[in-house]
Amino acid sequence: MAGIPDRDYNAACGRLASRLGISLAAARRRVDIRAAQESLRDTPSRIALAERMTAEAEASGVDNAAMLTAMLQALSSEENFMTED
């Protein structure tokens, strides 16, 4: 089992997860993958990377949470559809 990450690291990944509308684990994976690509190993540089990724997501202007909500809404022709077990 992996060790518990730093509280500040979790907070930075949490802000990224909120902005992207994804889970904390998915945000941490994204930060970890990008950190590996950039050869960042220490926690302060990973925190800075997560903050930078959050700023990039805010600058893109795409609201992923609203887009996901729109995709999860049923179409009017399908709203009364039920499947049988």
Side-chain angles (χ1 to χ4, degrees), residues 2 9 11-12 14-15 31 33 38-39 42 45 60 62 65-66 69-70 75 80:
Y9 179 64
R15 286 188 292 275
V31 173
I33 289 169
E38 296 180 13
S39 300
D42 58 322
S45 61
S60 72
V62 176
T69 301
L75 299 174
N80 294 322

Side-chain angles (χ1 to χ4, degrees), residues 36-78:
Q37 290 172 345
E38 296 180 13
S39 300
L40 303 174
R41 294 186 181 267
D42 58 322
T43 304
S45 61
R46 286 178 182 241
I47 292 171
L49 175 62
E51 294 295 336
R52 194 172 76 225
M53 289 173 70
T54 303
E56 289 170 2
E58 289 173 355
S60 72
V62 176
D63 188 7
N64 289 335
M67 186 171 26
L68 179 62
T69 301
M71 289 189 317
L72 290 175
Q73 292 177 348
L75 299 174
S76 60
S77 63
E78 298 175 349

Side-chain angles (χ1 to χ4, degrees), residues 7-25:
R7 180 183 175 110
D8 294 330
Y9 179 64
N10 273 338
C13 289
R15 286 188 292 275
L16 177 63
S18 264
R19 180 65 184 121
L20 296 178
I22 59 177
S23 70
L24 177 60

